[in-house]
Amino acid sequence: MAKFNWLIELRAWIFFGLICSTTACLPTVEMEKVVYSNDFSDLNLAGFENGKLFIFQNDTVAGYYHNEEVAAKISDLPPHNFLKVTVDILIHDSWDGNPNDSLSGPDYWYMGYDNTEVFRTTFSNSPCAPTYCLYQSYPNEFFRQNVPKLGATQTNLPGLCIFGAFQNYTTRYAVSRLIPHSNSSVRVYMGAELLQGNSPDPICDESWSIAKIEVVAIQTN
């Protein structure tokens, strides 16, 4: 497995009080081990809170969810001082991104561990034109004005419900965060806070699913 890029994860090194201009003071990675990996293909929901499965585009995924929180509990972790958490999520149908109008948004998605939220962002599946665009925060945290689908790994998937007959209304993202952690167990959670006040069926209007979760334990010196 390739070693993580310390420049991308600079905030993690600030945890050590290290801000260096040379590689001489970089910690050395002594161990990287995948401690949890689940793409739900074997229908395994052991240790998974609020787990439910369905088939999307011939793949088994966890979901689909609306204003809900899910979590994976992982125990018996090896000695480590970081965890790298990567979640592949599917954003279905009419997510509106950043609007703050008490009717259609913001449409938040968040991730954290134990009692600490580490990432909160918004996503938009809206078409974007020079005269009208519903911007999203991803790949940054809320509030940033980025074009819809920026940073996506796949954009040409059909919607799930209200836009199920149309292409480009499910977007896939791989959200990854490096977190300082040393306990022998962890609860990784993720959830959404979606607003669609003018819809008679909000979960059909906006939902999300999980295609894969992977957690890597990392030990540095």
Side-chain angles (χ1 to χ4, degrees):
M1 182 183 298
K3 300 298 187 288
F4 54 83
N5 186 330
W6 79 276
L7 290 172
I8 295 174
E9 304 295 351
L10 179 59
R11 287 183 299 175
W13 302 129
I14 293 174
F15 172 76
F16 285 100
L18 296 176
I19 302 178
C20 304
S21 59
T22 69
T23 59
C25 59
L26 291 180
T28 300
V29 176
E30 296 182 338
M31 181 275 297
E32 292 184 57
K33 181 180 180 181
V34 176
V35 293
Y36 182 84
S37 184
N38 195 347
D39 65 2
F40 309 102
S41 58
D42 60 1
L43 311 184
N44 180 13
L45 289 174
F48 200 81
E49 298 177 13
N50 196 17
K52 52 186 176 181
L53 302 173
F54 78 109
I55 303 296
F56 180 74
Q57 293 291 284
N58 298 317
D59 286 332
T60 302
V61 299
Y64 50 99
Y65 300 105
H66 185 59
N67 286 335
E68 300 172 71
E69 187 171 292
V70 301
K73 287 186 174 181
I74 309 162
S75 57
D76 299 322
L77 297 174
H80 64 284
N81 50 9
F82 286 96
L83 293 175
K84 185 176 182 180
V85 180
T86 303
V87 184
D88 282 21
I89 57 172
L90 300 168
I91 300 298
H92 303 296
D93 298 317
S94 72
W95 285 57
D96 300 305
N98 289 337
N100 189 9
D101 57 13
S102 73
L103 184 65
S104 61
D107 285 334
Y108 294 113
W109 186 88
Y110 60 87
M111 181 171 70
Y113 70 101
D114 298 331
N115 296 314
T116 303
E117 183 176 296
V118 297
F119 187 57
R120 176 173 288 261
T121 193
T122 61
F123 294 105
S124 174
N125 274 340
S126 170
C128 190
T131 56
Y132 181 77
C133 188
L134 296 178
Y135 293 97
Q136 68 179 33
S137 293
Y138 191 84
N140 302 106
E141 297 196 34
F142 183 79
F143 173 80
R144 284 286 294 274
Q145 294 278 56
N146 294 318
V147 295
K149 305 184 181 184
L150 183 66
T153 59
Q154 194 170 5
T155 62
N156 60 346
L157 296 168
L160 176 64
C161 191
I162 193 172
F163 289 122
F166 299 92
Q167 292 297 118
N168 303 315
Y169 273 96
T170 289
T171 310
R172 182 167 177 154
Y173 298 88
V175 182
S176 186
R177 283 295 179 273
L178 184 70
I179 58 177
H181 188 274
S182 58
N183 293 336
S184 62
S185 63
V186 68
R187 177 181 180 268
V188 176
Y189 67 85
M190 60 224 71
E193 296 172 6
L194 305 175
L195 184 62
Q196 198 63 35
N198 59 356
S199 173
D201 189 357
I203 194 171
C204 184
D205 202 285
E206 298 173 338
S207 63
W208 60 285
S209 304
I210 305 169
K212 184 178 180 180
I213 303 176
E214 183 174 273
V215 180
V216 179
I218 299 169
Q219 179 67 50
T220 65
N221 67 5

